[in-house]
Amino acid sequence: MSYLLVSPCRNESDYMRITLDSVVNQSIKPDLWVIVDDGSTDATPQILAEYAEKYSFIKVITRENRGHRSVGPGVIEAFYYGYEQVDVSQFDFICKFDLDLDLPPRYFEILIDRMKQNPRIGTCSGKAYFRDKKSGELISEKCGDEMSVGMTKFYRRSCFEEIGGFVRQVMWDGIDCHKCRQLGWIAVSWDEPDLKFIHLRPMGSSQKGIFTGRMRHGFGQYFMGTGLVYMTASSIFRMLHPPYFLGGAAMWWGYVKSMLTRQPRFADKPLVAFIRHYQWQCLVKGKAEATRQLNEQQTVVWQQSHG
């Protein structure tokens, strides 16, 4: 079973040696790792060149410096810049993979085994943790079991192609999992010792800080079609986890501000309706039970397409 990693990066030298080492020490190494240097101005190019010379499966592609770091759609544009230069048909699995992670050594081996055991799993991941700067304690980023996390999106290639790949907009990493379920695939992540990884730059942070990152997430939820009631419940949940109150409040304000200013929304109306119905079921039944029931109901959809 072959797999491809594609990593967009820009000015990642503070983290990338840890990430590079954690990948080259995997029990099953990638067949090809395409790293797109999206105009770095720090030591990133030198570090990448060093590893590419040492490991033949690492290929570095340099993209023109656009003068700023772009999150959300910009990251996906950089991903596709590398992805489209590869004959992906030779790979069974593909992964959009960030360069600020520290993986356990059997991470990809376990994901591949799980997907071989269950052909309906279209995308999966482990769980992200970050280290508290004061206590050193590992803290969960509280990503739901019904999603594969955005910083390491591991996909069965056939599923990735069937859903049409990533939407080039903020919330691409949520829309893809909903599209998987709509087409009968399963999206999942597991919180297990051998699949826990350290996110060296916590989720929702940005070049302008946590508040900006969480507001951006709120806009992403609005763009995806999430309803106000569900968004409010989700924001309250986030307020109970670090950064306490501020993170959830910023998410909610990002959503409401987008609603008040009538920002554009996702144009796939059938998928938006599917997402909203699922979110209501999550509020009524709890996310775990709603997801279990939906995956069971969608079995027939998958079977009709895949025999």
Side-chain angles (χ1 to χ4, degrees), residues 100-208:
D100 57 359
L101 311 175
D102 189 4
L103 301 178
R106 295 182 60 236
Y107 184 80
F108 290 115
E109 175 191 348
I110 294 170
L111 295 186
I112 290 171
D113 284 346
R114 298 280 170 89
M115 297 180 93
K116 287 167 64 177
Q117 292 167 16
N118 185 347
R120 275 190 67 199
I121 297 177
T123 181
C124 61
S125 75
K127 296 288 193 183
Y129 284 73
F130 66 92
R131 196 171 295 281
D132 185 88
K133 292 181 179 179
K134 294 182 179 179
S135 67
E137 178 186 1
L138 285 179
I139 300 174
S140 171
E141 291 194 357
K142 300 296 180 183
C143 300
D145 295 343
E146 78 290 352
M147 313 291 280
S148 58
V149 296
M151 65 289 291
T152 165
K153 280 277 183 184
F154 198 78
Y155 259 95
R156 195 183 301 271
R157 178 176 57 82
S158 58
C159 174
F160 187 73
E161 292 173 346
E162 192 173 322
I163 69 170
F166 298 131
V167 173
R168 305 190 191 202
Q169 179 54 278
V170 173
M171 213 58 197
W172 59 270
D173 55 343
I175 290 171
D176 69 310
C177 291
H178 290 297
K179 188 68 177 179
C180 283
R181 279 187 287 274
Q182 185 189 35
L183 298 181
W185 294 94
I186 291 172
V188 62
S189 56
W190 297 283
D191 195 0
E192 301 173 6
D194 289 338
L195 289 174
K196 292 180 180 180
F197 61 89
I198 300 174
H199 194 189
L200 303 168
R201 180 169 50 208
M203 182 184 71
S205 64
S206 74
Q207 68 274 29
K208 295 181 180 178

Side-chain angles (χ1 to χ4, degrees), residues 237-255:
F237 173 79
R238 284 288 176 185
M239 288 178 189
L240 303 177
H241 302 279
Y244 295 106
F245 183 76
L246 179 63
M251 283 168 48
W252 188 83
W253 175 238
Y255 179 98

